[in-house]
Amino acid sequence: MKILIAPWGNPFGWKEVEYMYKGRKKSDGKKFKDPLPLIKELENPDKIIIVSVDTLADAYVYGFKNPSYNDIKKCAENLIFNFCQKELGFIPDKIIISYGFGEFSKMKFLGSAMDFYYDVFKELSFFFTELEINNKIEVIFDATHGINWTTILTYRALREILEILAYVYDVDLKVLNSDPFVENITSLNINVIENVKILPRIAVYNIDKRPVEPFSSEQDMREFGSISNFLYNLSYNKEEILVFLGSFYFALPVFILSYMPCSSNVKFKINEISKEFERNIKLKNSVKLEVLRELKYTENFANFSKAYLVSSILEKFGFNKLTDIPLSKIEELKNKVFGKLSVESNRIDKEIKDVKDLQNLNNEYQVYNAVIKSGKTEKVDKRNFFAHAGFEYNTIELKKENGEIYVRIYDNYRSQAEAYITDDLPKI
């Protein structure tokens, strides 16, 4: 599967030029205002995504009478669609219009700059999980025409998503950028500025905020009426999401499968939050049309998106939430998800072997400590908990039934284990 992604600014100021890539020109000899037609011809991607920003509608939205925010967003999307169709000769498979900021000739956009990143992360996560991927993902990122901050944030979101996908897929990333345009220059070379194999990694942060918060920190929640009610009634299981992501981050297979959410439920919650976010974008006619986002996304919204992405991947590979976990399923998880990580893989292998070697398991659950008769302690040893991939002697119970060994979390020390996982995540 090969994906071509390009962040764009305003395409209506671009000039036609002859592009060169891999020493070749467009086969039909045409000049274009963007390098995508040539890249498309030579790379033959399966999907093309354009990422742009709602501020693109600035000079065009006044065709609407009393526009809504949806009108503004749709206007920007149509501009991209029509430009691709008329000027470049193709239709992109997906156009992502995200949230901008700044003052322009006719409009003023107010809101957190990071809203763009969180929204693009969500949209790209949804996109990648809908693809039919065999084993390999190739992504080409063309940075030629992005606005500086949109290029940085799109690249950041994309890179983080690809690093998660790299746990189970072979992922390559190539970044392109053409020579800068100068008047009277008729040919520009498209340069490869990065060409790397993506390694598995997930970034998870523990933040004491809701997925969305008021944009202005000076405004009390009570001033927001329906927003306040929505946020206070928002049930999003922050701790369970963090335990799940933390378990993945620390490679703790028993906890991954015990806390794994249903991806469709997480996606539903993400969409509900996003709808509320857009319902609270206010338009005010002043000297310029002001577009105010009264809410802002936080890192916990990214945690939702990451939980959706990870759980969706796991489901595609045959995993789901379990309370009583067959040891064979843990071994399968290790092989399919952590096989590329030698340290984590070897650690889990050692724990699986130790459990398999136990001689005195029966069909009733026993705390691991009781099975090995080492004596019960009053708490979970933190060092052993992480060093043994969550197979700490006071943390799990074991039984053997019909030839299969089963593992589950010991409820007496569950909260202690949860605290170790979430407390050891980086905090922001």
Side-chain angles (χ1 to χ4, degrees):
M1 178 65 68
K2 185 181 287 189
I3 316 295
L4 174 56
I5 299 177
W8 275 11
N10 186 344
F12 296 99
W14 302 344
K15 307 292 184 182
E16 281 191 351
V17 68
E18 182 181 68
Y19 285 100
M20 297 277 294
Y21 179 47
K22 298 182 176 181
R24 295 167 63 182
K25 303 175 184 178
K26 192 78 169 60
S27 60
D28 57 14
K30 289 183 179 180
K31 296 180 179 181
F32 288 93
K33 295 180 179 181
D34 185 81
L36 288 192
L38 178 57
I39 299 170
K40 179 178 182 293
E41 180 177 293
L42 297 184
E43 292 285 0
N44 192 29
D46 298 291
K47 302 287 183 181
I48 299 177
I49 306 173
I50 308 293
V51 181
S52 195
V53 68
D54 54 7
T55 58
L56 182 60
D58 173 62
Y60 307 94
V61 78
Y62 274 81
F64 294 93
K65 184 179 180 180
N66 298 319
S68 66
Y69 178 71
N70 187 61
D71 292 331
I72 292 171
K73 200 169 183 178
K74 195 65 181 175
C75 175
E77 182 181 344
N78 288 339
L79 289 168
I80 296 292
F81 182 92
N82 292 333
F83 183 86
C84 287
Q85 188 177 43
K86 294 175 183 178
E87 298 286 348
L88 305 183
F90 72 87
I91 295 173
D93 296 279
K94 186 173 181 63
I95 299 170
I96 298 173
I97 302 296
S98 194
Y99 308 108
F101 63 92
E103 187 168 350
F104 301 87
S105 60
K106 295 180 180 179
M107 300 173 72
K108 185 176 181 180
F109 292 78
L110 301 168
S112 169
M114 285 300 291
D115 290 339
F116 179 91
Y117 160 77
Y118 292 122
D119 183 60
V120 169
F121 194 107
K122 174 199 75 174
E123 291 296 328
L124 287 178
S125 295
F126 287 177
F127 176 81
F128 276 102
T129 57
E130 291 166 1
L131 297 176
E132 291 295 328
I133 302 168
N134 291 326
N135 180 55
K136 187 175 180 62
I137 305 172
E138 297 178 69
V139 176
I140 301 163
F141 182 83
D142 177 46
T144 297
H145 275 140
I147 307 167
N148 50 10
W149 63 273
T150 64
T151 303
I152 291 169
L153 293 178
T154 304
Y155 177 84
R156 175 184 164 186
L158 173 64
R159 179 91 188 212
E160 289 188 44
I161 289 167
L162 294 182
E163 287 172 345
I164 294 172
L165 292 170
Y167 279 92
V168 293
Y169 299 114
D170 185 17
V171 183
D172 292 335
L173 173 63
K174 183 190 293 183
V175 181
L176 307 177
N177 198 83
S178 75
D179 295 337
F181 179 82
V182 180
E183 290 292 342
N184 301 320
I185 297 293
T186 58
S187 180
L188 297 177
N189 191 53
I190 301 170
N191 307 287
V192 177
I193 60 174
E194 184 179 23
N195 195 0
V196 294
K197 177 77 65 182
I198 299 295
L199 301 178
R201 178 179 176 271
I202 186 168
V204 184
Y205 300 97
N206 187 344
I207 177 173
D208 189 25
K209 290 184 181 294
R210 288 169 284 250
V212 285
E213 294 282 355
F215 167 59
S216 173
S217 60
E218 297 177 358
Q219 292 173 294
D220 189 275
M221 286 295 300
R222 287 169 296 184
E223 296 177 23
F224 284 85
S226 64
I227 303 177
S228 176
N229 292 333
F230 170 77
L231 291 176
Y232 280 120
N233 293 325
L234 179 60
S235 173
Y236 60 99
N237 298 324
K238 173 198 165 189
E239 291 305 317
E240 288 194 14
I241 291 290
L242 278 179
V243 172
F244 171 63
L245 290 175
S247 302
F248 201 83
Y249 178 82
F250 294 118
L252 311 172
V254 175
F255 285 80
I256 292 171
L257 295 175
S258 297
Y259 286 85
M260 179 180 163
C262 172
S263 66
S264 61
N265 291 343
V266 181
K267 186 175 184 179
F268 175 81
K269 188 66 70 175
I270 290 170
N271 283 328
E272 286 298 298
I273 295 168
S274 298
K275 288 175 187 175
E276 187 68 19
F277 182 91
E278 291 210 351
R279 275 195 288 267
N280 288 284
I281 298 178
K282 306 302 183 187
L283 273 60
K284 177 184 176 184
N285 277 301
S286 186
V287 177
K288 296 181 179 181
L289 178 63
E290 293 185 359
V291 181
L292 170 63
R293 298 192 296 275
E294 292 190 327
L295 294 174
K296 65 179 179 181
Y297 288 123
T298 74
E299 192 62 26
N300 263 328
F301 186 76
N303 285 339
F304 256 93
S305 297
K306 290 171 186 176
Y308 166 73
L309 182 58
V310 174
S311 59
S312 179
I313 291 168
L314 291 176
E315 287 171 356
K316 284 187 176 183
F317 280 79
F319 299 101
N320 57 281
K321 182 184 179 73
L322 294 170
T323 300
D324 301 274
I325 308 169
L327 192 64
S328 59
K329 204 67 179 174
I330 294 172
E331 193 165 17
E332 184 184 347
L333 179 71
K334 190 278 302 184
N335 290 333
K336 289 184 177 179
V337 177
F338 297 107
K340 296 180 184 178
L341 303 174
S342 58
V343 173
E344 289 83 352
S345 182
N346 289 336
R347 183 184 297 142
I348 298 168
D349 274 340
K350 175 65 166 61
E351 300 308 317
I352 291 172
K353 181 182 183 303
D354 287 350
V355 171
K356 284 182 175 179
D357 288 344
L358 294 171
Q359 299 298 314
N360 53 338
L361 292 175
N362 56 47
N363 61 2
E364 297 290 334
Y365 272 114
Q366 303 173 74
V367 179
Y368 199 164
N369 226 336
V371 174
I372 61 173
K373 297 180 171 57
S374 70
K376 199 171 183 179
T377 63
E378 293 302 318
K379 64 177 183 178
V380 176
D381 184 273
K382 184 176 181 179
R383 176 194 172 280
N384 288 339
F385 179 74
F386 289 109
H388 292 272
F391 285 78
E392 199 269 349
Y393 293 159
N394 298 294
T395 308
I396 62 172
E397 295 180 297
L398 304 166
K399 75 173 182 179
K400 190 170 186 178
E401 193 172 293
N402 299 324
E404 177 72 79
I405 297 174
Y406 290 87
V407 185
R408 73 179 184 187
I409 299 170
Y410 183 39
D411 276 337
N412 286 22
Y413 292 130
R414 180 185 292 269
S415 60
Q416 199 171 70
E418 290 175 345
Y420 284 155
I421 294 169
T422 57
D423 290 350
D424 271 41
L425 289 171
K427 292 180 175 58
I428 55 173

